[in-house]
Amino acid sequence: MSEDSQIFVIKTTANQERSVATALARIAKKEKLDIRAILAPDELKGYVLVEAPKSGIVELAIQTIPHARALVKGSSTIAEIEHFLKPKPIVTGIKEGAIIEVTSGPFKGEKARVKRVDEGHEEITVELFDAVVPIPITIRGDTVRILRKEKE
């Protein structure tokens, strides 16, 4: 981020953050506005973050965008939004002993118990319930859905 730019926050209709960000990018390019970055983090519902030198540029850009409600007064700093910029491991929240359902691949729809979690490779090792012989299978963490967490 350069010295002369700030982070501005646009309030949007819930679940329309991506469409607002896409429309904003299109308008900024078409009108040659000095909008340097646009971020619509999944965990920040109802808001889009924009990097620009002045709030007036962002206000001008959002005038015609559907679902863009308003520009929040003031600006943010990189320190305040830094946690949105770091990717979170896919396997966060999956613990050994949890019951999961495989959502894609050759074992789609199968239920299994988590035997091991490898956060470095974002993979989990599971044993399928319906298998005749319990064979450990390693799959990517983003191809499962947690049905029941382990008992504490």
Short mmCIF file of all heavy atoms in Angstrom, two decimals, residues 77-137:
data_model
loop_
_atom_site.label_atom_id
_atom_site.label_comp_id
_atom_site.label_asym_id
_atom_site.label_seq_id
_atom_site.Cartn_x
_atom_site.Cartn_y
_atom_site.Cartn_z
N THR A 77 -6.99 1.09 8.51
CA THR A 77 -5.56 0.91 8.26
C THR A 77 -5.30 -0.53 7.85
O THR A 77 -6.15 -1.41 8.05
CB THR A 77 -4.74 1.22 9.53
OG1 THR A 77 -5.10 0.27 10.53
CG2 THR A 77 -5.00 2.63 10.03
N ILE A 78 -4.13 -0.77 7.30
CA ILE A 78 -3.73 -2.14 6.92
C ILE A 78 -3.73 -3.03 8.17
O ILE A 78 -4.14 -4.18 8.10
CB ILE A 78 -2.35 -2.12 6.25
CG1 ILE A 78 -2.48 -1.72 4.79
CG2 ILE A 78 -1.67 -3.48 6.33
CD1 ILE A 78 -3.11 -2.74 3.88
N ALA A 79 -3.29 -2.51 9.31
CA ALA A 79 -3.24 -3.31 10.54
C ALA A 79 -4.63 -3.82 10.92
O ALA A 79 -4.77 -4.94 11.42
CB ALA A 79 -2.66 -2.47 11.67
N GLU A 80 -5.67 -3.02 10.67
CA GLU A 80 -7.04 -3.42 11.03
C GLU A 80 -7.58 -4.51 10.12
O GLU A 80 -8.43 -5.29 10.54
CB GLU A 80 -7.98 -2.21 10.98
CG GLU A 80 -7.73 -1.20 12.07
CD GLU A 80 -8.56 0.05 11.93
OE1 GLU A 80 -8.88 0.46 10.79
OE2 GLU A 80 -8.91 0.63 12.98
N ILE A 81 -7.13 -4.57 8.88
CA ILE A 81 -7.66 -5.58 7.95
C ILE A 81 -6.66 -6.69 7.63
O ILE A 81 -6.96 -7.58 6.85
CB ILE A 81 -8.12 -4.93 6.63
CG1 ILE A 81 -6.94 -4.35 5.85
CG2 ILE A 81 -9.19 -3.89 6.87
CD1 ILE A 81 -7.21 -4.18 4.39
N GLU A 82 -5.50 -6.66 8.27
CA GLU A 82 -4.43 -7.60 7.96
C GLU A 82 -4.86 -9.06 8.10
O GLU A 82 -4.48 -9.91 7.30
CB GLU A 82 -3.24 -7.32 8.88
CG GLU A 82 -1.97 -7.96 8.46
CD GLU A 82 -0.79 -7.44 9.27
OE1 GLU A 82 -0.98 -7.02 10.43
OE2 GLU A 82 0.32 -7.46 8.73
N HIS A 83 -5.69 -9.36 9.09
CA HIS A 83 -6.11 -10.75 9.30
C HIS A 83 -6.98 -11.28 8.15
O HIS A 83 -7.07 -12.48 7.95
CB HIS A 83 -6.83 -10.91 10.64
CG HIS A 83 -8.09 -10.12 10.76
ND1 HIS A 83 -8.10 -8.77 11.02
CD2 HIS A 83 -9.38 -10.49 10.63
CE1 HIS A 83 -9.34 -8.34 11.06
NE2 HIS A 83 -10.15 -9.36 10.83
N PHE A 84 -7.59 -10.41 7.35
CA PHE A 84 -8.35 -10.85 6.17
C PHE A 84 -7.43 -11.23 5.02
O PHE A 84 -7.83 -11.92 4.10
CB PHE A 84 -9.30 -9.76 5.68
CG PHE A 84 -10.40 -9.43 6.64
CD1 PHE A 84 -10.58 -8.14 7.10
CD2 PHE A 84 -11.28 -10.41 7.09
CE1 PHE A 84 -11.60 -7.82 7.98
CE2 PHE A 84 -12.29 -10.11 7.97
CZ PHE A 84 -12.46 -8.82 8.42
N LEU A 85 -6.19 -10.75 5.05
CA LEU A 85 -5.26 -10.96 3.95
C LEU A 85 -4.48 -12.27 4.07
O LEU A 85 -3.92 -12.73 3.08
CB LEU A 85 -4.27 -9.79 3.88
CG LEU A 85 -4.91 -8.40 3.73
CD1 LEU A 85 -3.83 -7.32 3.79
CD2 LEU A 85 -5.70 -8.30 2.46
N LYS A 86 -4.46 -12.87 5.26
CA LYS A 86 -3.73 -14.12 5.46
C LYS A 86 -4.68 -15.30 5.26
O LYS A 86 -5.73 -15.36 5.91
CB LYS A 86 -3.15 -14.17 6.87
CG LYS A 86 -2.10 -13.11 7.11
CD LYS A 86 -1.59 -13.16 8.53
CE LYS A 86 -0.61 -12.02 8.75
NZ LYS A 86 -0.44 -11.69 10.15
N PRO A 87 -4.33 -16.24 4.38
CA PRO A 87 -5.21 -17.39 4.18
C PRO A 87 -5.25 -18.30 5.40
O PRO A 87 -4.23 -18.51 6.06
CB PRO A 87 -4.59 -18.12 2.98
CG PRO A 87 -3.17 -17.69 2.96
CD PRO A 87 -3.14 -16.31 3.57
N LYS A 88 -6.44 -18.82 5.68
CA LYS A 88 -6.59 -19.74 6.80
C LYS A 88 -6.48 -21.16 6.27
O LYS A 88 -6.97 -21.45 5.19
CB LYS A 88 -7.95 -19.53 7.46
CG LYS A 88 -8.03 -18.20 8.18
CD LYS A 88 -9.41 -17.99 8.76
CE LYS A 88 -9.53 -16.63 9.40
NZ LYS A 88 -9.21 -15.53 8.55
N PRO A 89 -5.87 -22.07 7.04
CA PRO A 89 -5.79 -23.46 6.59
C PRO A 89 -7.19 -24.04 6.40
O PRO A 89 -8.09 -23.79 7.19
CB PRO A 89 -5.06 -24.18 7.73
CG PRO A 89 -4.40 -23.11 8.52
CD PRO A 89 -5.20 -21.86 8.32
N ILE A 90 -7.35 -24.84 5.36
CA ILE A 90 -8.64 -25.45 5.03
C ILE A 90 -9.09 -26.40 6.13
O ILE A 90 -10.28 -26.51 6.41
CB ILE A 90 -8.54 -26.20 3.68
CG1 ILE A 90 -8.27 -25.20 2.56
CG2 ILE A 90 -9.78 -27.00 3.39
CD1 ILE A 90 -7.90 -25.84 1.24
N VAL A 91 -8.14 -27.06 6.78
CA VAL A 91 -8.49 -28.08 7.77
C VAL A 91 -8.75 -27.51 9.17
O VAL A 91 -8.97 -28.27 10.10
CB VAL A 91 -7.40 -29.18 7.84
CG1 VAL A 91 -7.33 -29.94 6.54
CG2 VAL A 91 -6.06 -28.61 8.21
N THR A 92 -8.78 -26.19 9.31
CA THR A 92 -9.07 -25.58 10.60
C THR A 92 -10.46 -26.01 11.04
O THR A 92 -11.41 -25.94 10.29
CB THR A 92 -9.01 -24.04 10.50
OG1 THR A 92 -7.71 -23.66 10.10
CG2 THR A 92 -9.32 -23.38 11.83
N GLY A 93 -10.57 -26.45 12.26
CA GLY A 93 -11.87 -26.87 12.80
C GLY A 93 -12.11 -28.36 12.67
O GLY A 93 -13.05 -28.88 13.25
N ILE A 94 -11.30 -29.08 11.92
CA ILE A 94 -11.45 -30.53 11.80
C ILE A 94 -10.49 -31.17 12.80
O ILE A 94 -9.30 -30.90 12.80
CB ILE A 94 -11.13 -31.01 10.37
CG1 ILE A 94 -12.05 -30.34 9.36
CG2 ILE A 94 -11.26 -32.53 10.30
CD1 ILE A 94 -11.73 -30.67 7.90
N LYS A 95 -11.03 -31.99 13.68
CA LYS A 95 -10.23 -32.64 14.72
C LYS A 95 -10.29 -34.15 14.54
O LYS A 95 -11.21 -34.68 13.93
CB LYS A 95 -10.79 -32.29 16.11
CG LYS A 95 -10.84 -30.80 16.40
CD LYS A 95 -9.56 -30.34 17.03
CE LYS A 95 -9.67 -28.92 17.50
NZ LYS A 95 -8.98 -27.96 16.72
N GLU A 96 -9.30 -34.83 15.10
CA GLU A 96 -9.29 -36.29 15.08
C GLU A 96 -10.52 -36.81 15.81
O GLU A 96 -10.91 -36.29 16.84
CB GLU A 96 -8.02 -36.83 15.74
CG GLU A 96 -6.78 -36.59 14.92
CD GLU A 96 -5.52 -37.16 15.56
OE1 GLU A 96 -5.64 -38.06 16.40
OE2 GLU A 96 -4.44 -36.67 15.20
N GLY A 97 -11.16 -37.82 15.23
CA GLY A 97 -12.35 -38.41 15.83
C GLY A 97 -13.65 -37.83 15.28
O GLY A 97 -14.72 -38.36 15.53
N ALA A 98 -13.57 -36.74 14.53
CA ALA A 98 -14.77 -36.12 13.97
C ALA A 98 -15.39 -37.02 12.90
O ALA A 98 -14.69 -37.77 12.23
CB ALA A 98 -14.44 -34.75 13.39
N ILE A 99 -16.69 -36.92 12.74
CA ILE A 99 -17.40 -37.65 11.69
C ILE A 99 -17.59 -36.68 10.53
O ILE A 99 -18.11 -35.57 10.71
CB ILE A 99 -18.78 -38.15 12.18
CG1 ILE A 99 -18.66 -38.92 13.50
CG2 ILE A 99 -19.48 -38.96 11.10
CD1 ILE A 99 -17.82 -40.16 13.42
N ILE A 100 -17.18 -37.09 9.33
CA ILE A 100 -17.26 -36.21 8.16
C ILE A 100 -17.98 -36.93 7.02
O ILE A 100 -18.16 -38.14 7.05
CB ILE A 100 -15.85 -35.75 7.69
CG1 ILE A 100 -14.93 -36.96 7.36
CG2 ILE A 100 -15.18 -34.89 8.73
CD1 ILE A 100 -14.83 -37.25 5.91
N GLU A 101 -18.38 -36.15 6.03
CA GLU A 101 -18.92 -36.70 4.79
C GLU A 101 -18.04 -36.19 3.67
O GLU A 101 -17.72 -34.99 3.60
CB GLU A 101 -20.36 -36.24 4.57
CG GLU A 101 -20.95 -36.77 3.28
CD GLU A 101 -22.36 -36.28 3.02
OE1 GLU A 101 -22.90 -35.50 3.83
OE2 GLU A 101 -22.92 -36.69 2.00
N VAL A 102 -17.64 -37.08 2.77
CA VAL A 102 -16.81 -36.70 1.63
C VAL A 102 -17.74 -36.05 0.60
O VAL A 102 -18.77 -36.60 0.25
CB VAL A 102 -16.09 -37.93 1.04
CG1 VAL A 102 -15.21 -37.52 -0.13
CG2 VAL A 102 -15.26 -38.62 2.10
N THR A 103 -17.36 -34.85 0.11
CA THR A 103 -18.23 -34.09 -0.79
C THR A 103 -17.83 -34.15 -2.26
O THR A 103 -18.57 -33.65 -3.11
CB THR A 103 -18.30 -32.60 -0.36
OG1 THR A 103 -16.97 -32.07 -0.35
CG2 THR A 103 -18.92 -32.46 1.02
N SER A 104 -16.67 -34.73 -2.56
CA SER A 104 -16.28 -34.87 -3.97
C SER A 104 -15.27 -36.00 -4.12
O SER A 104 -14.72 -36.49 -3.15
CB SER A 104 -15.71 -33.56 -4.51
OG SER A 104 -14.47 -33.29 -3.91
N GLY A 105 -15.07 -36.39 -5.36
CA GLY A 105 -14.12 -37.46 -5.64
C GLY A 105 -14.79 -38.83 -5.68
O GLY A 105 -16.02 -38.93 -5.61
N PRO A 106 -14.01 -39.89 -5.76
CA PRO A 106 -14.57 -41.24 -5.89
C PRO A 106 -15.36 -41.70 -4.66
O PRO A 106 -16.17 -42.60 -4.75
CB PRO A 106 -13.35 -42.13 -6.13
CG PRO A 106 -12.19 -41.35 -5.64
CD PRO A 106 -12.55 -39.90 -5.79
N PHE A 107 -15.11 -41.09 -3.50
CA PHE A 107 -15.81 -41.49 -2.28
C PHE A 107 -16.92 -40.51 -1.90
O PHE A 107 -17.35 -40.46 -0.75
CB PHE A 107 -14.81 -41.62 -1.12
CG PHE A 107 -13.73 -42.64 -1.40
CD1 PHE A 107 -12.44 -42.24 -1.67
CD2 PHE A 107 -14.03 -43.99 -1.41
CE1 PHE A 107 -11.45 -43.17 -1.93
CE2 PHE A 107 -13.04 -44.93 -1.67
CZ PHE A 107 -11.75 -44.53 -1.94
N LYS A 108 -17.40 -39.74 -2.86
CA LYS A 108 -18.44 -38.74 -2.61
C LYS A 108 -19.66 -39.38 -1.96
O LYS A 108 -20.13 -40.43 -2.39
CB LYS A 108 -18.85 -38.07 -3.93
CG LYS A 108 -19.89 -36.99 -3.75
CD LYS A 108 -20.21 -36.33 -5.06
CE LYS A 108 -21.24 -35.24 -4.84
NZ LYS A 108 -21.55 -34.54 -6.06
N GLY A 109 -20.14 -38.73 -0.88
CA GLY A 109 -21.31 -39.21 -0.17
C GLY A 109 -20.98 -40.19 0.95
O GLY A 109 -21.84 -40.51 1.76
N GLU A 110 -19.76 -40.67 1.01
CA GLU A 110 -19.36 -41.63 2.05
C GLU A 110 -19.12 -40.90 3.37
O GLU A 110 -18.61 -39.79 3.40
CB GLU A 110 -18.06 -42.36 1.65
CG GLU A 110 -18.19 -43.22 0.43
CD GLU A 110 -18.89 -44.54 0.70
OE1 GLU A 110 -18.89 -45.01 1.86
OE2 GLU A 110 -19.44 -45.10 -0.26
N LYS A 111 -19.48 -41.56 4.46
CA LYS A 111 -19.22 -41.02 5.79
C LYS A 111 -17.98 -41.71 6.34
O LYS A 111 -17.73 -42.88 6.06
CB LYS A 111 -20.42 -41.24 6.69
CG LYS A 111 -21.62 -40.40 6.26
CD LYS A 111 -22.83 -40.72 7.09
CE LYS A 111 -24.03 -39.90 6.70
NZ LYS A 111 -24.34 -39.84 5.31
N ALA A 112 -17.21 -40.95 7.14
CA ALA A 112 -15.96 -41.49 7.65
C ALA A 112 -15.59 -40.83 8.97
O ALA A 112 -16.15 -39.79 9.33
CB ALA A 112 -14.84 -41.27 6.63
N ARG A 113 -14.64 -41.45 9.68
CA ARG A 113 -14.11 -40.88 10.92
C ARG A 113 -12.69 -40.39 10.64
O ARG A 113 -11.90 -41.08 10.01
CB ARG A 113 -14.08 -41.93 12.02
CG ARG A 113 -13.55 -41.37 13.35
CD ARG A 113 -13.61 -42.36 14.49
NE ARG A 113 -14.93 -42.93 14.71
CZ ARG A 113 -15.92 -42.33 15.39
NH1 ARG A 113 -15.73 -41.14 15.92
NH2 ARG A 113 -17.07 -42.93 15.56
N VAL A 114 -12.38 -39.18 11.13
CA VAL A 114 -11.06 -38.59 10.93
C VAL A 114 -10.05 -39.28 11.86
O VAL A 114 -10.27 -39.37 13.06
CB VAL A 114 -11.09 -37.07 11.21
CG1 VAL A 114 -9.70 -36.47 11.09
CG2 VAL A 114 -12.06 -36.37 10.28
N LYS A 115 -8.96 -39.77 11.27
CA LYS A 115 -7.92 -40.43 12.05
C LYS A 115 -6.71 -39.52 12.27
O LYS A 115 -6.03 -39.63 13.28
CB LYS A 115 -7.46 -41.72 11.34
CG LYS A 115 -8.51 -42.79 11.32
CD LYS A 115 -8.83 -43.21 12.75
CE LYS A 115 -9.91 -44.26 12.79
NZ LYS A 115 -10.30 -44.58 14.15
N ARG A 116 -6.42 -38.64 11.29
CA ARG A 116 -5.25 -37.76 11.41
C ARG A 116 -5.50 -36.50 10.60
O ARG A 116 -6.11 -36.54 9.54
CB ARG A 116 -4.01 -38.49 10.90
CG ARG A 116 -2.70 -37.77 11.18
CD ARG A 116 -1.48 -38.62 10.84
NE ARG A 116 -1.46 -39.02 9.43
CZ ARG A 116 -0.93 -38.28 8.46
NH1 ARG A 116 -0.39 -37.12 8.72
NH2 ARG A 116 -0.94 -38.72 7.22
N VAL A 117 -4.99 -35.36 11.10
CA VAL A 117 -5.11 -34.08 10.41
C VAL A 117 -3.70 -33.56 10.13
O VAL A 117 -2.89 -33.44 11.04
CB VAL A 117 -5.89 -33.05 11.26
CG1 VAL A 117 -5.97 -31.71 10.56
CG2 VAL A 117 -7.28 -33.57 11.60
N ASP A 118 -3.42 -33.26 8.85
CA ASP A 118 -2.13 -32.72 8.45
C ASP A 118 -2.34 -31.29 7.97
O ASP A 118 -2.72 -31.05 6.83
CB ASP A 118 -1.53 -33.58 7.33
CG ASP A 118 -0.15 -33.11 6.89
OD1 ASP A 118 0.31 -32.06 7.39
OD2 ASP A 118 0.46 -33.80 6.06
N GLU A 119 -2.14 -30.32 8.90
CA GLU A 119 -2.39 -28.92 8.55
C GLU A 119 -1.39 -28.39 7.54
O GLU A 119 -1.72 -27.52 6.74
CB GLU A 119 -2.39 -28.05 9.82
CG GLU A 119 -3.60 -28.30 10.67
CD GLU A 119 -3.77 -27.27 11.77
OE1 GLU A 119 -3.10 -26.22 11.73
OE2 GLU A 119 -4.60 -27.52 12.65
N GLY A 120 -0.17 -28.90 7.54
CA GLY A 120 0.85 -28.44 6.60
C GLY A 120 0.47 -28.70 5.16
O GLY A 120 0.68 -27.87 4.28
N HIS A 121 -0.09 -29.87 4.88
CA HIS A 121 -0.50 -30.23 3.52
C HIS A 121 -1.99 -30.03 3.30
O HIS A 121 -2.50 -30.30 2.21
CB HIS A 121 -0.14 -31.69 3.23
CG HIS A 121 1.32 -31.93 3.13
ND1 HIS A 121 2.04 -32.53 4.14
CD2 HIS A 121 2.21 -31.63 2.15
CE1 HIS A 121 3.31 -32.60 3.78
NE2 HIS A 121 3.46 -32.04 2.59
N GLU A 122 -2.72 -29.58 4.35
CA GLU A 122 -4.16 -29.36 4.30
C GLU A 122 -4.89 -30.64 3.87
O GLU A 122 -5.79 -30.60 3.03
CB GLU A 122 -4.51 -28.17 3.42
CG GLU A 122 -3.94 -26.87 3.96
CD GLU A 122 -4.37 -25.64 3.20
OE1 GLU A 122 -4.89 -25.77 2.08
OE2 GLU A 122 -4.19 -24.55 3.74
N GLU A 123 -4.49 -31.75 4.46
CA GLU A 123 -5.09 -33.04 4.16
C GLU A 123 -5.52 -33.70 5.47
O GLU A 123 -4.99 -33.40 6.53
CB GLU A 123 -4.08 -33.97 3.47
CG GLU A 123 -3.67 -33.51 2.11
CD GLU A 123 -2.62 -34.42 1.48
OE1 GLU A 123 -1.86 -35.07 2.21
OE2 GLU A 123 -2.57 -34.46 0.25
N ILE A 124 -6.48 -34.63 5.34
CA ILE A 124 -6.90 -35.42 6.49
C ILE A 124 -6.89 -36.89 6.09
O ILE A 124 -7.10 -37.22 4.92
CB ILE A 124 -8.29 -35.01 7.02
CG1 ILE A 124 -9.36 -35.16 5.95
CG2 ILE A 124 -8.27 -33.62 7.59
CD1 ILE A 124 -10.76 -34.96 6.46
N THR A 125 -6.61 -37.75 7.05
CA THR A 125 -6.66 -39.19 6.84
C THR A 125 -7.91 -39.70 7.53
O THR A 125 -8.14 -39.39 8.71
CB THR A 125 -5.40 -39.88 7.41
OG1 THR A 125 -4.26 -39.30 6.77
CG2 THR A 125 -5.41 -41.37 7.14
N VAL A 126 -8.73 -40.44 6.81
CA VAL A 126 -10.00 -40.93 7.33
C VAL A 126 -10.13 -42.43 7.11
O VAL A 126 -9.42 -43.01 6.30
CB VAL A 126 -11.20 -40.22 6.64
CG1 VAL A 126 -11.15 -38.73 6.87
CG2 VAL A 126 -11.26 -40.52 5.16
N GLU A 127 -11.05 -43.04 7.87
CA GLU A 127 -11.44 -44.43 7.64
C GLU A 127 -12.92 -44.43 7.32
O GLU A 127 -13.74 -43.93 8.11
CB GLU A 127 -11.16 -45.28 8.88
CG GLU A 127 -9.72 -45.68 9.02
CD GLU A 127 -9.46 -46.63 10.18
OE1 GLU A 127 -10.42 -47.03 10.86
OE2 GLU A 127 -8.30 -46.96 10.39
N LEU A 128 -13.27 -44.98 6.17
CA LEU A 128 -14.67 -45.01 5.73
C LEU A 128 -15.47 -45.97 6.61
O LEU A 128 -15.00 -47.04 6.97
CB LEU A 128 -14.75 -45.44 4.27
CG LEU A 128 -14.04 -44.52 3.27
CD1 LEU A 128 -14.07 -45.13 1.88
CD2 LEU A 128 -14.66 -43.15 3.25
N PHE A 129 -16.73 -45.62 6.92
CA PHE A 129 -17.59 -46.46 7.74
C PHE A 129 -18.05 -47.70 6.98
O PHE A 129 -18.13 -48.79 7.52
CB PHE A 129 -18.82 -45.70 8.21
CG PHE A 129 -18.54 -44.73 9.32
CD1 PHE A 129 -19.20 -43.52 9.38
CD2 PHE A 129 -17.62 -45.02 10.32
CE1 PHE A 129 -18.96 -42.63 10.41
CE2 PHE A 129 -17.36 -44.13 11.35
CZ PHE A 129 -18.04 -42.93 11.39
N ASP A 130 -18.39 -47.56 5.70
CA ASP A 130 -18.97 -48.65 4.93
C ASP A 130 -17.95 -49.58 4.31
O ASP A 130 -18.32 -50.52 3.60
CB ASP A 130 -19.88 -48.08 3.83
CG ASP A 130 -21.07 -47.33 4.42
OD1 ASP A 130 -21.42 -47.61 5.58
OD2 ASP A 130 -21.63 -46.47 3.71
N ALA A 131 -16.68 -49.37 4.58
CA ALA A 131 -15.65 -50.24 4.00
C ALA A 131 -15.61 -51.57 4.75
O ALA A 131 -15.74 -51.62 5.97
CB ALA A 131 -14.29 -49.56 4.07
N VAL A 132 -15.44 -52.67 4.01
CA VAL A 132 -15.35 -54.00 4.62
C VAL A 132 -14.08 -54.09 5.46
O VAL A 132 -14.10 -54.57 6.59
CB VAL A 132 -15.36 -55.09 3.52
CG1 VAL A 132 -15.21 -56.47 4.13
CG2 VAL A 132 -16.63 -55.01 2.70
N VAL A 133 -12.98 -53.62 4.91
CA VAL A 133 -11.71 -53.58 5.62
C VAL A 133 -11.36 -52.12 5.87
O VAL A 133 -11.35 -51.33 4.93
CB VAL A 133 -10.60 -54.25 4.77
CG1 VAL A 133 -9.26 -54.20 5.49
CG2 VAL A 133 -10.97 -55.66 4.41
N PRO A 134 -11.12 -51.73 7.14
CA PRO A 134 -10.81 -50.32 7.41
C PRO A 134 -9.44 -49.92 6.86
O PRO A 134 -8.40 -50.27 7.42
CB PRO A 134 -10.85 -50.22 8.93
CG PRO A 134 -10.63 -51.61 9.41
CD PRO A 134 -11.14 -52.54 8.34
N ILE A 135 -9.46 -49.22 5.74
CA ILE A 135 -8.22 -48.74 5.10
C ILE A 135 -8.16 -47.23 5.26
O ILE A 135 -9.11 -46.54 4.90
CB ILE A 135 -8.20 -49.11 3.60
CG1 ILE A 135 -8.31 -50.62 3.43
CG2 ILE A 135 -6.94 -48.57 2.94
CD1 ILE A 135 -8.52 -51.04 2.00
N PRO A 136 -7.05 -46.70 5.78
CA PRO A 136 -6.94 -45.24 5.88
C PRO A 136 -6.80 -44.60 4.49
O PRO A 136 -6.03 -45.07 3.66
CB PRO A 136 -5.69 -45.01 6.73
CG PRO A 136 -5.00 -46.32 6.83
CD PRO A 136 -5.92 -47.39 6.35
N ILE A 137 -7.56 -43.55 4.27
CA ILE A 137 -7.54 -42.83 3.00
C ILE A 137 -7.20 -41.38 3.30
O ILE A 137 -7.80 -40.78 4.19
CB ILE A 137 -8.90 -42.92 2.30
CG1 ILE A 137 -9.24 -44.37 2.01
CG2 ILE A 137 -8.92 -42.09 1.03
CD1 ILE A 137 -10.67 -44.58 1.62
#
